[in-house]
Amino acid sequence: MTMLLSLIIGLGLFFAIGWSSRLAMHAVAPAQHKPIYRDMPLTAAFGIAVILIYVLVATLAPLIAPFGEGEVVGDQYLPWAAPYHLGTDKLGRDMLTRLIYGARNTVGIAFATTALAFVVGSILGIWAALQGGWVDQVLSRFVDALMAIPALIFSLLLLTIFGTSVLTLILVIAAVDATRVYRLARSVSQGIVVMDYIEAARLRGEGTWRLIRREILPNAMAPLVAEFGLRFCFVFLAISALSFLGLGIKPPTADWGSMVRENATLITFGDITPLLPAGAIALLTVAVNFVVDWQLHRASGLKE
Amino acid sequence: MTNLILPRGISRRGLLQGAAAIGAAGLILPAGARSAMAQAKKGGVFRIGLGHGSSTDSYDPGLWEQLYVQTFAAARVNYLVEIAADGTLVPELAESWSSADGITWAFAIRQGVTFHSGKTMTPDDVVASLNHHRGDASTSAVKPFFDPVTDIKVDGQNVIVTLNAPNADFPYLMSDYHIPVLPSADGKIDPNTSDGTGGYIVESYEPGVQATMNRNPNYWKADRAHFDQIIMLTILDPAARLNALMTGEVDLIDQVDPASISLLESRGVSRIISVSGNAHYVFPMDARAAPFNDNNVRLALKYAFDRQELVDKILAGHGSVSNDNPIGPANRYFHAEMEAKTYDPDKAKFHLKEAGLDTLEVTLSAANAAFSGAVDAAVLMSEKAAAAGITITVDRVPDDGYWDNVWMKKPFCASYWGGRPVEDQMFTTAYAAGAAWNESFWDNARFNELLVAARSELDDTKRREMYHEMQQLVSFEGSTIIPMYNNYVMAVANNVGTPEKISANWNLDGFRCVERWWFA
Amino acid sequence: MTDIWRMIARRLLLGLLTLFVISLVIFGATELLPGDLARELLGQSATEETLAALREQLGLNDPAPVRYWNWLTGVLQGDFGVSMATQKPISELVGARLGNTLFLALYAAALSVPLSLLLGVLAALWRNSIFDRASNAMALTSISFPEFFVAYILVLFLAQTGIFPSMVRITAATTFGDRIYMAFLPALTLTLVVTAHMMRMTRAAIINLLASPYIEMARLKGMSPLRVVLRHAVPNALAPIINVVALNLAYLITGVVVVEVVFVYPGLGQLMVDAVTNRDIAVVQAIALIFAAAYVLLNLIADVLSTITNPRLMHRR
């Protein structure tokens, strides 16, 4: 019964947010872009709204959060009641505050990591496909070697050797992710570089960089963008898994991945506390991918 | 993913945890606990799920270091002597022991005991088993125990051990879990044998996964080893252990996550066993390095956090507050009347001022490898210290390699100790100047002088005064923050019978749950 | 066709080179890790004397290049050596675990690959429909939960109610049927973890092609949407799909240590983690090479299949 009720409320919220965000965007968009937003599916509108809310929460965290990021405000595991609207965690810190600061830290790190991985991975991947020959061989074998080592063990080795500051965390996860992106970019581009128009562009004398940027990248964009949406959320999971190993983000910094890990045992007893950070991750993942899907759809040129 | 790299919890410092428990402490049982079951019954398959065990575990007793191998050993082998649940030393394979001068010790070896292989246990086996831990080529963790031993020889049914100096506590050392009696040939034991004289015979053992053992039909102890079969599983994930217990797939688990204790109790499928002893969590500061070389700085830190909060939140109440005192309430000469340290930011500020400082910035390195909840404890301390103008930056370091890279290397870190039954042992191991495990590098002339004097003092009142003064020194001038004593917390299925008194000497009833417990 | 065989032969040779590089990387990395086997085995109770004695006994005193060379010559003769910690032959340690790992990977793949291809094709066919959005949102939600968390939730609903066991205790005597039953929860967990990725790539790859002129042509000829997708789009979208499937299969073999831990499943991942923690280098190397070989082979198969589906790849400069 409660499940049904929450489903109805959830759907209602979804439509309300989707609708109002579409209306709002349509209203504020410059005239020439208005049609884009008029035809935008509700899912995409909902996704954009959610992302905007997250970004807002992340940037304004210190203003919105009722307490300090690491502040111990009371006993542990207090129930959901004012002034602790989502209760307190195992150290007696306000859960809502932790979630809000978590948005800032987690989303920031995830975005930086994914962006870095994509820039490095896709450029190298396309370049390898374009050049072929020994460049392709050397890069691909090297990437194969790195990918053949399980990501978690590889990250563990690197983080144990180089330490666990936020910067090394970003670099290590990005390095691991970049190998995956490389492989995808290379295989997609391999299908493209044998196309006639690439041949033509080559004959026109276009340079490698221009070929990558102007000819191949636009045509390889769709699968890459789809991958971006997923890789983005894999970063949260990687951080969560690393905190399983005691290697995640250092306390008292709040991040969702570690929060899921910290509270995970409670789900064994049917306590929904760990669902809060996990839900925050899931909502963002769904939102990002809704927008990605919409962009994919637009890029595909399909009209229906 | 893996505490690989997984959190193994507290496992490592076997040797440091003491050899015996003279003054064991009380047992806390929930109301209505069915522990006082009159008579042990035979039978049943006892399945144990432990948060320890690795595929690199070996049979070699010199390398045992965590709860899984310790308990596995308790089922399979016997020792010369045993620490009873009340902390007294009782005979096991040695029927009695004696020494006129504390230098030459004679152990009378029990007759008529056979190994699982059928071989009769002889004094020669005892000598070979002890010699495994001696000599240049020995790789045993307890080699230092045998450094003072100059000779071990057989005299009829006796084994004679000669020391280079008197030591009244030497028999206690022989209860150490590293020193089982194993079968020998040509004066040497095979360290990789699965043989033993214990209550259970190994049927199969896959390190890091599972061990299956069956009751030894010829076991020489009539009133021990009640189960037909023991199955020991390595379950590293805390939630998986809880699930296994709740779904009835195991009968005993260790290391119950404090946050889950009350939830588990409310399920009614199991009961919690919480044993208080002298085990304690510590935060040593390097007394040689600034700023910790100033006692006022150390005192400021000692007043800058809330001990009761740590007991409530890190131990979920399964422990008690410590006044920076490594001697626990269960010890003979425990100093209970010392001025208690409470959370007092003003006092902390006062001591900072005495040290000529307005503010203080220190880094505290912690990993849950030090003790479960160490990182959280550090975070709580850091939060409370802010009010006293002290900034504690918590550096969460990897569990992997913690004892190599952090402990006794970083100036301020987390650590733990199993309680020592004898005051002298605790102080000598970790607080005497120059001791190998003096983790705070503390060197106090008066303390060192008292330590030597107390060892040979025979007048109990004077001795008590000396130990009280030493506790006072460690507490108020020492370089180790000791916020709390932690209980051993385990959970068993409702149908598991336990004796009224459960040993506080080690976890799992001194590892001997396998032979002391039963199914009701 | 000979081109393909030539490519396979060349790639296999290169694969061996990859394995060699990996063995170097892993050996180097474990050397860089602080501490060594002796230190880990003795733990806190180590003294300088016992450490020295144990190092001597384990042969850790040789310089790193010598130890690597000894290991390499052994492997070239087909001898992976013994675990330094337990003195057991590595083949014995790894054998049963490898079987368990492959069993779980194949089990999960048998559930997830057909499921994700089916969902992906249907989602592309009925793109932007309620089905598309709902399956998408559900797959994304399941993928955004950490593996251990998915496992806990499944245990809460399916094991605490007594339907499935919460632990997988497989021994040599376990029958195939029992294995399927006992390993269902870990396999389901892994299915939930990998399905979204494969499904979304399938959908994206197909949709990416739907605007191509030849699809437009097929559509104009009046072909049904199902036929368009299956006959014209899917074959040309196979390359990226095959690649993402290969990636996920490799993941199922090499990356499932968390699921192994939660379900107490005796697989290779946990063994490798133990070996890394204790610096038992011979075991680490052996497992790393197994994982690497799985990877190289799956990638090779993926590339061969991609090439077959897109013959243009064959005729490059």
Side-chain angles (χ1 to χ4, degrees):
Chain A
M1 198 54 215
T2 25
M3 275 182 88
L4 195 68
L5 200 68
S6 42
L7 191 71
I8 292 171
I9 293 176
L11 279 178
L13 269 177
F14 165 74
F15 280 111
I17 293 175
W19 231 299
S20 45
S21 107
R22 185 161 71 182
L23 280 178
M25 274 182 280
H26 187 242
V28 298
Q32 72 269 30
H33 288 151
K34 278 196 192 293
I36 300 177
Y37 296 102
R38 199 185 53 230
D39 301 333
M40 169 164 66
L42 270 187
T43 48
F46 171 78
I48 291 176
V50 168
I51 294 172
L52 282 179
I53 292 171
Y54 273 59
V55 169
L56 212 63
V57 167
T59 39
L60 300 180
L63 297 178
I64 310 174
F67 300 97
E69 181 172 5
E71 191 184 341
V72 176
V73 294
D75 285 343
Q76 50 189 163
Y77 301 121
L78 288 176
W80 293 18
Y84 318 117
H85 298 284
L86 295 178
T88 55
D89 70 2
K90 64 170 171 174
L91 296 185
R93 296 174 297 200
D94 182 51
M95 201 72 185
L96 180 62
T97 306
R98 301 286 291 170
L99 280 174
I100 290 172
Y101 275 99
R104 167 178 258 205
N105 304 322
T106 322
V107 175
I109 290 173
F111 187 77
T113 310
T114 324
L116 186 61
F118 267 77
V119 169
V120 174
S122 54
I123 289 180
L124 285 180
I126 296 174
W127 186 52
L130 192 61
Q131 295 289 315
W134 67 268
V135 170
D136 184 23
Q137 283 303 337
V138 169
L139 274 174
S140 297
R141 274 348 99 206
F142 181 66
V143 166
D144 271 355
L146 291 188
M147 286 179 79
I149 305 168
L152 192 69
I153 304 229
F154 192 51
S155 320
L156 173 90
L157 287 173
L158 291 181
L159 288 173
T160 312
I161 295 169
F162 295 116
T164 54
S165 70
V166 170
L167 184 65
T168 43
L169 200 67
I170 290 177
L171 290 179
V172 165
I173 300 179
V176 170
D177 266 7
T179 57
R180 273 75 182 160
V181 178
Y182 167 89
R183 222 185 129 74
L184 179 74
R186 176 176 167 272
S187 83
V188 171
S189 325
Q190 274 188 330
I192 298 172
V193 293
V194 291
M195 295 279 182
D196 296 339
Y197 62 84
I198 300 291
E199 211 49 42
R202 266 187 216 275
L203 291 174
R204 278 203 305 274
E206 287 186 15
T208 307
W209 177 239
R210 193 180 154 80
L211 273 174
I212 292 177
R213 207 164 42 90
R214 297 296 299 275
E215 308 291 348
I216 303 177
L217 198 55
N219 289 295
M221 213 53 197
L224 284 178
V225 167
E227 182 80 2
F228 185 95
L230 287 180
R231 282 285 149 214
F232 185 66
C233 97
F234 285 172
V235 176
F236 301 99
L237 302 186
I239 293 174
S240 181
L242 286 170
S243 67
F244 200 112
L245 310 186
L247 287 168
I249 293 176
K250 298 197 174 193
T253 309
D255 92 282
W256 295 335
S258 313
M259 287 170 77
V260 178
R261 178 63 209 152
E262 277 171 15
N263 297 299
T265 315
L266 295 177
I267 197 76
T268 300
F269 298 97
D271 185 316
I272 60 166
T273 310
L275 282 177
L276 292 173
I281 296 175
L283 186 61
L284 181 61
T285 309
V286 172
V288 166
N289 283 287
F290 274 165
V291 178
V292 163
D293 287 348
W294 176 50
Q295 288 301 323
L296 273 184
H297 185 69
R298 296 206 318 131
S300 74
L302 284 171
K303 289 290 168 291
E304 86 270 35
Chain B
M1 303 199 212
T2 92
N3 205 260
L4 322 166
I5 326 184
L6 279 172
R8 297 273 150 80
I10 307 168
S11 70
R12 297 230 156 199
R13 299 172 61 203
L15 177 63
L16 307 191
Q17 295 208 349
I22 283 173
L27 161 69
I28 301 171
L29 280 174
R34 278 150 284 180
S35 71
M37 278 167 276
Q39 205 51 54
K41 279 201 307 195
K42 299 269 173 201
V45 178
F46 191 46
R47 298 155 305 170
I48 308 171
L50 298 182
H52 299 272
S54 155
S55 39
T56 52
D57 292 343
S58 80
Y59 272 119
D60 185 347
L63 298 178
W64 293 341
E65 63 154 354
Q66 34 80 357
L67 191 58
Y68 188 97
V69 285
Q70 287 157 346
T71 312
F72 182 46
R76 176 172 74 89
V77 297
N78 293 125
Y79 299 86
L80 281 183
V81 290
E82 174 183 349
I83 307 282
D86 63 2
T88 54
L89 198 61
V90 297
E92 198 168 14
L93 289 178
E95 283 180 308
S96 64
W97 52 91
S98 61
S99 173
D101 51 7
I103 288 183
T104 308
W105 284 91
F107 292 88
I109 305 303
R110 193 177 294 277
Q111 282 178 298
V113 176
T114 56
F115 288 102
H116 301 155
S117 58
K119 179 186 177 312
T120 303
M121 193 267 301
T122 66
D124 288 322
D125 296 323
V126 176
V127 172
S129 298
L130 298 187
N131 278 336
H132 178 63
H133 308 279
R134 291 175 71 205
D136 288 343
S138 173
T139 57
S140 169
V142 289
K143 197 169 160 184
F145 284 16
F146 289 87
D147 283 346
V149 174
T150 55
D151 183 48
I152 302 178
K153 62 170 191 271
V154 176
D155 175 21
Q157 195 58 27
N158 289 340
V159 168
I160 312 290
V161 180
T162 313
L163 310 179
N164 60 8
N167 182 353
D169 289 338
F170 183 74
Y172 278 97
L173 295 183
M174 292 301 104
S175 73
D176 187 273
Y177 62 85
H178 289 97
I179 320 175
V181 175
L182 297 174
S184 68
D186 305 327
K188 273 190 180 321
I189 59 163
D190 170 12
N192 293 316
T193 179
S194 64
D195 206 355
T197 57
Y200 299 90
I201 300 169
V202 179
E203 178 187 306
S204 67
Y205 175 42
E206 189 182 346
V209 182
Q210 176 173 344
T212 307
M213 288 165 283
N214 298 312
R215 188 170 198 285
N216 175 3
N218 303 319
Y219 194 35
W220 60 274
K221 291 185 195 174
D223 57 341
R224 289 287 185 88
H226 306 293
F227 304 107
D228 290 337
Q229 191 175 54
I230 305 266
I231 293 178
M232 288 183 63
L233 300 164
T234 291
I235 309 179
L236 296 177
D237 184 57
R241 279 199 301 282
L242 287 168
N243 277 317
L245 182 70
M246 287 193 292
T247 55
E249 288 166 80
V250 297
D251 307 303
L252 162 67
I253 59 170
D254 74 326
Q255 286 182 27
V256 184
D257 174 22
S260 321
I261 292 176
S262 57
L263 291 166
L264 182 61
E265 279 177 321
S266 68
R267 282 294 177 95
V269 293
S270 62
R271 65 189 165 97
I272 302 284
I273 297 177
S274 179
V275 187
S276 67
N278 295 329
H280 50 276
Y281 295 158
V282 302
F283 294 95
M285 304 169 271
D286 187 343
R288 304 166 305 179
F292 305 116
N293 53 3
D294 185 333
N295 190 43
N296 274 306
V297 168
R298 308 200 291 250
L299 277 173
L301 282 164
K302 286 174 182 174
Y303 283 108
F305 72 99
D306 188 342
R307 290 157 204 265
Q308 190 58 47
E309 182 186 36
L310 291 188
V311 172
D312 292 343
K313 290 182 178 173
I314 305 298
L315 301 177
H318 289 266
S320 54
V321 164
S322 169
N323 192 11
D324 302 314
N325 188 355
I327 305 304
N331 278 104
R332 273 175 302 177
Y333 302 121
F334 174 63
H335 189 356
E337 293 86 39
M338 276 194 293
E339 177 209 339
K341 296 193 198 73
T342 50
Y343 175 50
D344 191 341
D346 291 333
K347 218 165 191 166
K349 275 186 187 153
F350 167 78
H351 285 291
L352 271 193
K353 213 166 201 167
E354 291 286 296
L357 298 168
D358 288 330
T359 57
L360 175 66
E361 285 187 27
V362 293
T363 299
L364 172 52
S365 308
N368 288 338
F371 58 84
S372 151
V375 177
D376 287 335
V379 168
L380 285 176
M381 288 168 71
S382 155
E383 272 303 307
K384 281 287 190 293
I390 300 175
T391 309
I392 301 178
T393 308
V394 178
D395 183 13
R396 201 254 303 262
V397 292
D399 287 343
D400 189 78
Y402 181 80
W403 300 108
D404 296 339
N405 312 320
V406 179
W407 183 64
M408 292 186 77
K409 303 247 164 57
K410 301 279 184 192
F412 190 18
C413 67
S415 172
Y416 82 102
W417 288 87
R420 291 308 182 92
V422 189
E423 288 79 358
D424 178 62
Q425 211 178 352
M426 185 72 234
F427 282 145
T428 307
T429 316
Y431 295 89
W437 291 299
N438 181 345
E439 49 192 359
S440 65
F441 303 95
W442 187 55
D443 184 355
N444 183 297
R446 173 70 183 151
F447 177 89
N448 296 332
E449 186 188 311
L450 280 168
L451 185 60
V452 176
R455 217 175 273 161
S456 54
E457 178 58 60
L458 297 176
D459 183 317
D460 196 58
T461 317
K462 278 191 188 152
R463 208 172 176 206
R464 177 178 302 273
E465 274 167 18
M466 287 174 167
Y467 279 122
H468 279 197
E469 188 180 346
M470 285 157 77
Q471 289 172 55
Q472 184 82 27
L473 284 171
V474 169
S475 178
F476 286 88
E477 290 177 39
S479 195
T480 308
I481 294 175
I482 308 176
M484 52 193 161
Y485 303 107
N486 60 295
N487 290 5
Y488 292 121
V489 182
M490 50 211 122
V492 293
N494 282 334
N495 62 345
V496 173
T498 52
E500 239 170 296
K501 177 90 186 155
I502 291 181
S503 176
N505 179 33
W506 284 103
N507 207 345
L508 302 185
D509 204 356
F511 315 134
R512 290 175 186 259
C513 60
V514 280
E515 68 167 37
R516 288 179 183 167
W517 297 5
W518 63 88
F519 278 123
Chain C
M1 239 14 223
T2 49
D3 283 351
I4 291 223
W5 291 113
R6 198 172 300 147
M7 166 185 155
I8 292 175
R10 210 190 58 203
R11 288 288 297 274
L12 281 177
L13 280 177
L14 283 168
L16 285 180
L17 182 71
T18 308
L19 293 189
F20 173 69
V21 172
I22 286 169
S23 76
L24 270 177
V25 169
I26 293 282
F27 189 87
T30 38
E31 282 296 311
L32 280 178
L33 286 177
D36 65 4
L37 178 66
R39 188 89 229 189
E40 296 301 327
L41 287 181
L42 284 168
Q44 262 355 76
S45 34
T47 62
E48 283 313 312
E49 274 177 55
T50 48
L51 277 178
L54 191 57
R55 284 194 184 120
E56 184 66 41
Q57 192 181 327
L58 295 169
L60 292 174
N61 283 333
D62 295 336
V66 173
R67 278 179 287 128
Y68 181 76
W69 178 251
N70 290 343
W71 174 84
L72 189 66
T73 47
V75 169
L76 290 179
Q77 293 158 17
D79 175 16
F80 279 87
V82 296
S83 153
M84 286 191 290
T86 55
Q87 300 300 322
K88 280 191 198 162
I90 292 207
S91 50
E92 186 186 309
L93 269 178
V94 167
R97 299 265 188 139
L98 176 61
N100 291 343
T101 291
L102 289 179
F103 173 76
L104 184 58
L106 289 177
Y107 192 175
L111 293 178
S112 60
V113 172
L115 178 70
S116 46
L117 293 189
L118 182 72
L119 288 177
V121 169
L122 290 180
L125 184 63
W126 298 324
R127 57 202 165 272
N128 304 335
S129 68
I130 293 285
F131 172 82
D132 181 19
R133 308 255 191 250
S135 62
N136 201 359
M138 261 152 56
L140 287 171
T141 309
S142 78
I143 206 178
S144 44
F145 286 172
E147 283 165 44
F148 59 83
F149 195 63
V150 174
Y152 291 167
I153 292 176
L154 290 180
V155 167
L156 174 67
F157 287 113
L158 295 176
Q160 288 195 13
T161 48
I163 305 174
F164 291 98
S166 73
M167 290 193 296
V168 189
R169 285 173 46 198
I170 287 184
T171 62
T174 315
T175 64
F176 185 73
D178 279 350
R179 275 175 190 246
I180 295 279
Y181 168 68
M182 289 201 294
F184 180 72
L185 286 186
L188 184 60
T189 307
L190 291 173
T191 301
L192 289 175
V193 168
V194 296
T195 297
H197 193 203
M198 291 191 283
M199 175 200 134
R200 285 181 55 82
M201 284 311 291
T202 307
R203 179 183 179 278
I206 293 173
I207 289 185
N208 193 32
L209 286 169
L210 288 182
S212 312
Y214 76 99
I215 299 277
E216 205 63 34
M217 176 60 78
R219 229 195 297 252
L220 290 175
K221 284 201 291 191
M223 251 183 217
S224 76
L226 182 65
R227 205 173 146 77
V228 168
V229 166
L230 288 183
R231 287 294 302 278
H232 294 279
V234 169
N236 283 300
L238 275 179
I241 295 175
I242 289 168
N243 262 294
V244 79
V245 169
L247 265 185
N248 281 290
L249 285 182
Y251 175 76
L252 288 176
I253 294 174
T254 65
V256 300
V257 58
V258 169
V259 172
E260 287 177 11
V261 168
V262 172
F263 290 103
V264 199
Y265 189 89
L268 281 181
Q270 181 62 49
L271 185 63
M272 183 164 192
V273 162
D274 281 351
V276 169
T277 312
N278 290 301
R279 320 282 190 255
D280 196 346
I281 295 180
V283 179
V284 177
Q285 291 278 47
I287 300 176
L289 288 189
I290 290 176
F291 284 168
Y295 223 96
V296 167
L297 286 178
L298 280 167
N299 278 338
L300 173 58
I301 294 169
D303 281 0
V304 169
L305 290 178
S306 303
T307 310
I308 292 173
T309 58
N310 189 352
R312 271 176 300 192
L313 285 174
M314 298 272 298
H315 306 292
R316 310 186 53 200
R317 289 165 285 168

Short mmCIF file of all heavy atoms in Angstrom, two decimals, chain B residues 22-46:
data_model
loop_
_atom_site.label_atom_id
_atom_site.label_comp_id
_atom_site.label_asym_id
_atom_site.label_seq_id
_atom_site.Cartn_x
_atom_site.Cartn_y
_atom_site.Cartn_z
N ILE B 22 44.98 -12.82 34.70
CA ILE B 22 44.79 -13.15 36.10
C ILE B 22 43.47 -12.57 36.56
O ILE B 22 42.62 -13.25 37.11
CB ILE B 22 45.94 -12.59 36.94
CG1 ILE B 22 47.15 -13.48 36.75
CG2 ILE B 22 45.53 -12.54 38.40
CD1 ILE B 22 48.38 -12.94 37.40
N GLY B 23 43.28 -11.31 36.29
CA GLY B 23 42.06 -10.69 36.78
C GLY B 23 41.10 -10.48 35.65
O GLY B 23 40.95 -9.41 35.14
N ALA B 24 40.43 -11.50 35.24
CA ALA B 24 39.48 -11.34 34.16
C ALA B 24 38.28 -10.57 34.68
O ALA B 24 38.01 -10.55 35.86
CB ALA B 24 39.05 -12.69 33.66
N ALA B 25 37.59 -9.95 33.76
CA ALA B 25 36.51 -9.10 34.20
C ALA B 25 35.17 -9.78 34.02
O ALA B 25 35.09 -10.91 33.60
CB ALA B 25 36.55 -7.83 33.41
N GLY B 26 34.16 -9.05 34.34
CA GLY B 26 32.82 -9.63 34.36
C GLY B 26 32.25 -9.79 32.98
O GLY B 26 32.79 -9.32 31.99
N LEU B 27 31.16 -10.46 32.92
CA LEU B 27 30.49 -10.73 31.67
C LEU B 27 29.15 -10.03 31.69
O LEU B 27 28.40 -10.15 32.66
CB LEU B 27 30.31 -12.25 31.55
CG LEU B 27 29.27 -12.73 30.58
CD1 LEU B 27 29.73 -12.44 29.17
CD2 LEU B 27 29.07 -14.22 30.76
N ILE B 28 28.89 -9.29 30.65
CA ILE B 28 27.60 -8.60 30.60
C ILE B 28 26.65 -9.43 29.76
O ILE B 28 26.92 -9.70 28.60
CB ILE B 28 27.76 -7.22 29.97
CG1 ILE B 28 28.74 -6.40 30.79
CG2 ILE B 28 26.42 -6.53 29.89
CD1 ILE B 28 29.11 -5.11 30.12
N LEU B 29 25.57 -9.83 30.33
CA LEU B 29 24.60 -10.60 29.56
C LEU B 29 23.29 -9.84 29.54
O LEU B 29 22.92 -9.20 30.51
CB LEU B 29 24.37 -11.96 30.22
CG LEU B 29 25.43 -13.01 29.94
CD1 LEU B 29 25.14 -14.23 30.77
CD2 LEU B 29 25.46 -13.36 28.48
N PRO B 30 22.59 -9.91 28.42
CA PRO B 30 21.29 -9.26 28.37
C PRO B 30 20.34 -9.94 29.35
O PRO B 30 20.50 -11.11 29.67
CB PRO B 30 20.85 -9.45 26.93
CG PRO B 30 21.65 -10.60 26.43
CD PRO B 30 22.93 -10.59 27.19
N ALA B 31 19.35 -9.19 29.77
CA ALA B 31 18.39 -9.76 30.70
C ALA B 31 17.76 -11.01 30.08
O ALA B 31 17.47 -11.05 28.89
CB ALA B 31 17.32 -8.73 31.01
N GLY B 32 17.58 -12.00 30.86
CA GLY B 32 16.91 -13.20 30.37
C GLY B 32 17.81 -14.08 29.53
O GLY B 32 17.34 -14.96 28.83
N ALA B 33 19.09 -13.82 29.58
CA ALA B 33 19.99 -14.67 28.79
C ALA B 33 19.94 -16.09 29.32
O ALA B 33 19.87 -16.31 30.52
CB ALA B 33 21.40 -14.13 28.87
N ARG B 34 19.99 -17.01 28.37
CA ARG B 34 19.88 -18.40 28.81
C ARG B 34 21.25 -19.03 28.93
O ARG B 34 21.54 -20.04 28.34
CB ARG B 34 19.04 -19.18 27.81
CG ARG B 34 17.57 -18.99 28.03
CD ARG B 34 16.84 -19.10 26.73
NE ARG B 34 17.02 -17.88 25.95
CZ ARG B 34 16.48 -17.71 24.75
NH1 ARG B 34 15.78 -18.65 24.20
NH2 ARG B 34 16.66 -16.57 24.12
N SER B 35 22.12 -18.40 29.66
CA SER B 35 23.49 -18.90 29.68
C SER B 35 23.68 -19.93 30.76
O SER B 35 24.54 -20.80 30.66
CB SER B 35 24.45 -17.74 29.91
OG SER B 35 24.32 -17.32 31.24
N ALA B 36 22.89 -19.84 31.78
CA ALA B 36 23.16 -20.70 32.93
C ALA B 36 22.57 -22.09 32.74
O ALA B 36 21.97 -22.67 33.62
CB ALA B 36 22.59 -20.05 34.19
N MET B 37 22.70 -22.61 31.53
CA MET B 37 22.14 -23.92 31.29
C MET B 37 22.93 -24.95 32.08
O MET B 37 24.16 -24.95 32.06
CB MET B 37 22.13 -24.22 29.81
CG MET B 37 20.92 -23.57 29.16
SD MET B 37 21.00 -23.55 27.39
CE MET B 37 21.98 -22.11 27.12
N ALA B 38 22.19 -25.79 32.72
CA ALA B 38 22.82 -26.62 33.73
C ALA B 38 23.89 -27.52 33.15
O ALA B 38 25.05 -27.48 33.55
CB ALA B 38 21.75 -27.47 34.40
N GLN B 39 23.54 -28.32 32.16
CA GLN B 39 24.47 -29.34 31.73
C GLN B 39 24.76 -29.24 30.25
O GLN B 39 23.85 -29.04 29.44
CB GLN B 39 23.87 -30.72 32.05
CG GLN B 39 24.90 -31.79 32.22
CD GLN B 39 25.99 -31.38 33.20
OE1 GLN B 39 25.71 -30.99 34.32
NE2 GLN B 39 27.24 -31.45 32.78
N ALA B 40 26.02 -29.36 29.90
CA ALA B 40 26.39 -29.35 28.50
C ALA B 40 25.90 -30.63 27.83
O ALA B 40 26.02 -31.71 28.38
CB ALA B 40 27.90 -29.25 28.37
N LYS B 41 25.32 -30.49 26.64
CA LYS B 41 24.87 -31.67 25.90
C LYS B 41 25.82 -31.93 24.75
O LYS B 41 26.47 -31.04 24.23
CB LYS B 41 23.46 -31.42 25.34
CG LYS B 41 22.37 -31.65 26.37
CD LYS B 41 21.03 -31.91 25.70
CE LYS B 41 20.65 -30.85 24.71
NZ LYS B 41 19.24 -30.89 24.33
N LYS B 42 25.87 -33.18 24.34
CA LYS B 42 26.74 -33.53 23.21
C LYS B 42 25.96 -33.40 21.90
O LYS B 42 24.74 -33.55 21.89
CB LYS B 42 27.22 -34.98 23.36
CG LYS B 42 28.03 -35.23 24.60
CD LYS B 42 29.49 -35.02 24.34
CE LYS B 42 30.26 -35.11 25.66
NZ LYS B 42 31.55 -34.46 25.60
N GLY B 43 26.71 -33.19 20.80
CA GLY B 43 26.09 -33.31 19.49
C GLY B 43 25.92 -32.00 18.76
O GLY B 43 26.10 -30.91 19.30
N GLY B 44 25.58 -32.13 17.48
CA GLY B 44 25.30 -30.96 16.66
C GLY B 44 26.49 -30.51 15.84
O GLY B 44 27.64 -30.86 16.10
N VAL B 45 26.19 -29.76 14.79
CA VAL B 45 27.23 -29.17 13.95
C VAL B 45 27.30 -27.69 14.27
O VAL B 45 26.33 -26.96 14.09
CB VAL B 45 26.92 -29.37 12.45
CG1 VAL B 45 27.99 -28.72 11.61
CG2 VAL B 45 26.79 -30.85 12.13
N PHE B 46 28.42 -27.26 14.78
CA PHE B 46 28.61 -25.87 15.20
C PHE B 46 29.26 -25.10 14.07
O PHE B 46 30.39 -25.39 13.68
CB PHE B 46 29.49 -25.85 16.46
CG PHE B 46 29.55 -24.52 17.16
CD1 PHE B 46 28.40 -23.78 17.39
CD2 PHE B 46 30.76 -24.03 17.62
CE1 PHE B 46 28.46 -22.55 18.06
CE2 PHE B 46 30.83 -22.81 18.29
CZ PHE B 46 29.68 -22.07 18.51
#
